[in-house]
Amino acid sequence: MSDRIMLAHGSGGSMMRDLIEDIFTQTFCDVQLEDAATLEIPTDRIAFSTDTFVVHPLFFPGGDIGHLAVCGTVNDVATAGATPLYISVGFVLEEGFPMDDLKKIIESMAKTAREAGVKIVTGDTKVVGKGQADGIYINTAGVGTLPAGIDISAKNCKPGDKILLSGTLGDHGIAIISQREGLEFETTIETDAAPLNHLIADTLAAAPHTRVFRDPTRGGLASTLNELADSSQVAMIVIEDLVPVHPQVRGASEMLGYDVFQVANEGKMVAVVPADEAEAALAAMQSSPYGIDAAIIGDVTEAPAGRVSVKNGFGASRIMDTLVGEQLPRIC
């Protein structure tokens, strides 16, 4: 087999068949070589989500585009309170893309899927000409089972609820920008991308009346909380000193002129839970390796509806605005 992707690898002929059999199916052990995978889903309610990943660079501190693609879809399905089961994968490969890099990405996806307990069961491959893409783009779609009685929604937040965050803010965004050409600076920050389905399941078991889960990806915590406050027509107050932020992320954000509340994350989860279940939810998060730094960071209040504010240690407060425009493109 060639050491680089060729147009013929997407032609539908023998080279494409060899690529699928030699790399994809050997690594994704559960792939079915049919036009459609047949699945057993023992429920009448499912959660279904899809996302496309165009992150640049493809490899970054602590992760790669394949790891990110599996984590992103697993987490999107899990935020509905569902158990992710199956994932599809669509690849757009650029002619000349190194075969060794493709193998690394595939192996990373398989490893992440095993950790999450999901199966990659079907997929698609297209090859475009040199210069018509940036190496590789990946689309993933996921499906999971949704137990009866689960109602997780952005419109469910109520005054008196507590706001929880599963860990430090901004790690993914700063890890990506630290690798961007021309913007490199020294940092040991790695991406926080992680499959959070087990953390979510444990939190939901401890706090069964959890109103909503939401991963604060593009637009960061600020955009996430503003969306929740607007959907539920409530106000939210965040206590700045309670928000976990790695000192290097805070320093890099200040140097680059970013609001750390708007920096992207890929392995953090926001949860809004009733006050009487908040401590149990926090303990469940902290028992996960991805939730050690979890904290209760604020409260849901009645008014003014749709407003999110952040209060500092001196008692002063300011509006936490939704990100306007694009702070850092191609973050995922």
Side-chain angles (χ1 to χ4, degrees):
M1 179 177 289
S2 168
D3 63 351
R4 290 186 177 273
I5 290 293
M6 303 168 65
L7 283 174
H9 283 122
S11 66
S14 61
M15 288 186 65
M16 181 173 175
R17 185 78 179 182
D18 290 344
L19 176 70
I20 292 171
E21 292 185 348
D22 293 346
I23 295 183
F24 295 151
T25 59
Q26 285 193 14
T27 311
F28 302 150
C29 300
D30 300 296
V31 169
Q32 301 175 28
L33 293 177
E34 306 286 350
D35 284 346
T38 55
L39 312 173
E40 296 198 6
I41 301 178
T43 182
D44 57 0
R45 295 179 75 210
I46 66 169
F48 181 48
S49 182
T50 187
D51 205 343
T52 301
F53 297 84
V54 298
V55 65
H56 175 82
L58 301 176
F59 299 91
F60 42 84
D64 57 77
I65 188 172
H67 176 63
L68 192 62
V70 174
C71 291
T73 291
V74 164
N75 292 347
D76 283 348
V77 172
T79 56
T83 301
L85 295 177
Y86 303 110
I87 287 182
S88 72
V89 181
F91 295 97
V92 176
L93 302 172
E94 183 182 6
E95 180 185 17
F97 188 69
M99 198 66 74
D100 285 346
D101 285 351
L102 178 60
K103 291 177 181 177
K104 291 177 185 175
I105 290 167
I106 299 300
E107 289 167 358
S108 178
M109 296 182 77
K111 178 181 177 182
T112 308
R114 286 194 298 271
E115 179 182 353
V118 301
K119 294 181 178 180
I120 298 172
V121 293
T122 189
D124 180 54
T125 303
K126 296 291 188 298
V127 180
V128 298
K130 193 170 183 60
Q132 297 178 344
D134 192 7
I136 180 173
Y137 300 144
I138 300 176
N139 172 270
T140 48
V143 63
T145 55
L146 193 60
I150 296 296
D151 180 21
I152 304 292
S153 172
K155 66 180 186 302
N156 288 350
C157 305
K158 300 180 186 302
D161 289 345
K162 295 290 184 181
I163 305 167
L164 282 73
L165 177 65
S166 66
T168 53
L169 276 186
D171 297 6
H172 179 71
I174 296 303
I176 293 293
I177 199 169
S178 72
Q179 290 294 295
R180 290 274 172 91
E181 185 177 0
L183 292 174
E184 291 189 5
F185 52 89
E186 290 188 4
T187 176
T188 58
I189 295 297
E190 295 186 346
T191 179
D192 57 10
L196 299 179
N197 52 318
H198 301 307
L199 178 149
I200 290 174
D202 291 346
T203 303
L204 191 56
H209 298 97
T210 295
R211 314 295 190 195
V212 61
F213 292 108
R214 187 58 56 89
D215 46 347
T217 54
R218 287 175 296 174
L221 180 68
S223 294
T224 295
L225 294 186
N226 274 280
E227 179 191 349
L228 300 181
D230 183 64
S231 296
S232 295
Q233 284 297 287
V234 295
M236 294 185 171
I237 300 174
V238 171
I239 307 302
E240 188 167 21
D241 291 347
L242 299 181
V243 179
V245 181
H246 193 286
Q248 285 188 299
V249 169
R250 189 181 298 282
S253 298
E254 291 174 353
M255 183 180 72
L256 296 167
Y258 291 165
D259 182 342
V260 71
F261 294 124
Q262 297 179 338
V263 177
N265 314 271
E266 286 292 340
K268 297 302 183 317
M269 192 61 56
V270 171
V272 177
V273 303
D276 60 355
E277 296 182 359
E279 289 298 333
L282 177 64
M285 281 189 176
Q286 291 175 335
S287 68
S288 164
Y290 298 124
I292 293 172
D293 295 319
I296 298 173
I297 62 169
D299 299 277
V300 179
T301 61
E302 188 169 2
R307 175 178 292 180
V308 180
S309 55
V310 55
K311 184 179 293 186
N312 65 24
F314 300 102
S317 63
R318 63 178 174 86
I319 301 298
M320 184 188 289
D321 283 327
T322 298
L323 175 65
V324 177
E326 188 72 80
Q327 185 181 61
L328 185 62
R330 297 187 61 186
I331 199 74
C332 60

